[in-house]
Amino acid sequence: MVFQYSSPVRRNGKGENLDPFPNEIYAEILHYVQPDRQDNAEYHRQLSKIALVCRYFCFLMVPRLFDTLIFDGSTEAKGPTPNYSGFCRSIIKDEGQARELAKYVRTCRVLNWLPDEGFGQISSAAASFLKLHFSAMVFMENLSSLIIDKIILTSQILRALSELKKLKHLELTDFKDMKGCRAGDYKKLASLRLTTLKMHNSNDEPAFDWDDYKRLGQAFDYSHLETLLTSIPSSVTVIQKSSHPSPLRTLELKLYNLQEVTLDTSLFHRLPELRRFEIAPTGHNQLAGVVLKPSDIPLLEDVECLPDHLALFVPGRPVSRVTITLSPRSFQYAPQSPAFLEPLARSTAAAINLSLPFTWFALYIEAAHGYLAKVNKLRLFCLYRDLDTNPEILKTLATAIPMLPQIRHIQAETGPGWMGIIPTTFDKINLKEQEATLSGIPSSSKVEDLQLGLIKWSRDRDGRWTPSFHDELRDSLENQLEKVSNWSDYLERSDVEDYMKNLFASPT
C-alpha cells in the first residue's frame, strides 16, 4: 500500500472507544459525493479534494482516482485536466511512487487521436504522446480494460497491446489503417487472453473497407472470448473454422459488406453457450443458408435481428428479449403480413421484452395480438416529431393494451436516425386529455406504466394515473414558464390534480 493511514477513532458519549467502521462503510458514504464520471476533469478534482482531508480519506480515494485514466487527444477539454502525461513519464522512469500508483489502474480510454477531417497523419507531437501513453500502460500490471476510439493503429501500439497480460476487455472503435504494421506485430496479439473483444465503426454504413483489416481479425485468440462485437469478417471466419466449441455468450455482428462472409449452420453449432445474438440490418442474405434445430444454441435469450430471422432463432428457445433490427432507410417499410411475429408465441420464455417500430405495431396489433400474448414489456420506435404530445399514439396504445394480457410496461421513443425533434411546449401539452385517454384502460389490465418520449405515466393500485417528467423536459418547461406572462393559464389547462402547480414554482 502506498499510503499509511490510521482508522478514525469512534467514541460514545462517555468517551469510551468503539469498534471502527469497516472501510466499505466509509467508501459507500463517499461514493454519494462523487460527481458524474462523464466530466472526467471535475470528477478527479472532487476526488482529489476529498483525498486531501486526511490520510484515511486519501487511502480510500486513491484507488478511485487512479482506477480509470482517459487519454483524450481532443483540444476541447474545459478547465484543467489531470496531468496524465507527467504521470506516464514518472511510471516509465520509475520515479517516486508512480509505479505503485499504476497498480490501481484498471481501465484506460484512448480517445480522439485521429488527424483533422479523419485522414492523413497525426502530428509528431500527438504521435509522441501516444507512444508515451502506451509505453506506460505496460507497467500498469492490473490493467484489465482498454477502450480505443478514433486512432491510427501503429506497429508500436500493437506491440504494446500484446504486453498487457491481464487485459480482458479490448474495444477498438473508428480506428484507421495500420501504419507500418508487420505480420509479427499481429501474431503477438494471440498472447492476449481476452474475454471481451469489440472491433467496429460507429456508423450504420462502413466508413472503410474492412477487408483491409483481415490480419487484425485473424490475430486474436478467440478460445476464451465470452463477448464479441465485430465488423471484421475474418473474425467470424476464425470461429466458423474452429474445431472446438466457443465459450461465446454474446455475439454481435456489424457486418456491412455482404460479400466478405456468409454465415453457415456450423457457426451456431460451435456456440453452445450463446445467450445474445445480433446481426446488422444489412445482414439479410448472410443467414440464408442457416438451418437450426431448437437443440442448437439452446440457451439463447436475447435476439436483435431482421423480421425474417425470428423464425430461425425464437421457436423452442428461452428468448425473452427481441429487438427488430432496422436501419433508418428500412424503418418505414413493414413486412407484408404480421406472420413474422408468430415465432414469438413459440418461445419457451414466460415473458418477452419486444422492441419494434410503432407503425408496425399499430398496423398489425388486431391481427397479431395472439402472437404477442407473452409480451410484458413493449418498446416502440416512432417517427413522430411530437412524440410527447401526439394524442393518436396514446389512443392507439390505450386501445391495444386490453389485447395484451401480460403487458406491464410500454415505452415509446424516437426511432433510429430520427433528428429534429420538436421540443414539447405548453401550448402542445394537455395532461388532462392524456389522463382521460388512459382512464379508459380496463382496470383488469396489468399495465403499470406508459412512457411517451419524456413524459411517463404510472398507474397505482387504485387505477389512478400520475405523470412525471424527464429532467430534460422539466427544465425546458421551467424555462418556458419564465418567459410567458400568462403562465397560470397554461397550468390550469394542463394541470392534473395540481400536479404541475406543485412541480413548478411560480416565476418571480
Side-chain angles (χ1 to χ4, degrees), residues 174-189:
D174 292 346
F175 54 96
K176 301 299 181 182
D177 44 351
M178 286 70 82
K179 299 296 182 181
C181 297
R182 302 175 181 177
D185 300 326
Y186 292 102
K187 290 182 179 180
K188 291 180 179 179
L189 294 176

Side-chain angles (χ1 to χ4, degrees), residues 236 239-240 251 253 263-271 277 287 297:
V236 182
I239 299 175
Q240 288 196 145
L251 178 59
L253 303 180
L263 307 183
D264 57 41
T265 305
S266 65
L267 170 65
F268 298 96
H269 287 169
R270 291 174 173 80
L271 302 175
F277 178 74
L287 293 170
I297 48 174

